Amino acid sequence: MLHSSVPANTGTSEPEEAHPVFVRRCAHRGLNARAPSEKLGRTVSWTTTAQGFLVNLMEVTHSVVHYQPWAHPVTIRAGWGEPFEYWPALGVTGATGRRIAIDIVYERDGKERESLGFERLLEAALASQGVQLTAMSEEALVTDPRTAVARSMARYVGVPVTEASVARLRQVLAANGGSATLAQLRASAPEDNEIVAVGCVLGMRRRLRLDVSKKGLDFSSVTLVPQGEDA
């Protein structure tokens, strides 16, 4: 089960209240939102708003082939009590097969996590599973301009892709050397935004490469994937 609304089983009889606040919060992973995914071919669900932002970013990042909230539960052995389970916010599999766990650090938890040396403990626990840790602050995630661009792209999920729309898109890409910004796509058919939507959908499916620009949606681009590249 991807999420649980009940406390996680830590395998000990230790009272949950003995754990740090951010650990107790992690143990109550309620389902708060869901959305369809072009990359995964199914619905993906998450708990926090920041997780949702990560989902959008992973959906449009070409080097990511798979992602899942709460993907890598690990047992943490720390100095404040019995071992307990912890779930980083998101698990990611890259095009090279590398597995990464992204953990979101909320400002209200920063000092406590630092005092406990929690990142070091989490990194070691994940490494034993062959998973690399990336810690990301909530503030950095929310204020990253690419987050807003990714959300705009993700709104195109579910747009129908037809042979005609693909042929039209490829014609524009060919005329621009195999790569075009979304502004260029839009300019090719100012009366219809379909070509931009289809470009984003095929990018999320990794049939094209999406490059998300921090300058905005119009500066982001789609590029033909070289023949033979795993897409």
Side-chain angles (χ1 to χ4, degrees), residues 54-68:
L54 268 182
V55 164
N56 292 155
L57 281 170
M58 298 303 102
E59 182 76 11
V60 302
T61 301
H62 185 73
S63 60
V64 171
V65 298
H66 189 272
Y67 63 86
Q68 179 181 328

Side-chain angles (χ1 to χ4, degrees), residues 60-127:
V60 302
T61 301
H62 185 73
S63 60
V64 171
V65 298
H66 189 272
Y67 63 86
Q68 179 181 328
W70 310 120
H72 299 296
V74 293
T75 298
I76 302 292
R77 291 173 171 81
W80 63 79
E82 295 294 327
F84 60 87
E85 281 192 307
Y86 182 81
W87 293 259
L90 197 80
V92 175
T93 302
T96 62
R98 184 175 62 167
R99 295 190 300 159
I100 300 170
I102 302 176
D103 198 35
I104 300 172
V105 180
Y106 296 89
E107 184 177 3
R108 60 187 179 274
D109 304 324
K111 290 182 179 179
E112 185 173 31
R113 289 172 67 112
E114 185 177 356
S115 68
L116 297 170
F118 188 74
E119 262 63 55
R120 178 180 55 79
L121 296 170
L122 180 57
E123 183 176 27
L126 287 165

Side-chain angles (χ1 to χ4, degrees), residues 28-47:
H28 296 269
R29 304 179 310 282
L31 171 61
N32 290 335
R34 67 176 70 204
S37 164
E38 294 286 353
K39 180 167 286 185
L40 303 181
R42 60 172 174 80
T43 297
V44 60
S45 55
W46 59 88
T47 303

Side-chain angles (χ1 to χ4, degrees), residues 123-161:
E123 183 176 27
L126 287 165
S128 69
Q129 297 183 2
V131 179
Q132 178 182 326
L133 171 66
T134 294
M136 180 180 295
S137 75
E138 180 191 23
E139 181 182 8
L141 178 62
V142 172
T143 59
D144 187 339
R146 296 175 304 164
T147 299
V149 176
R151 292 184 69 189
S152 296
M153 289 178 169
R155 293 191 180 102
Y156 293 124
V157 170
V159 169
V161 176

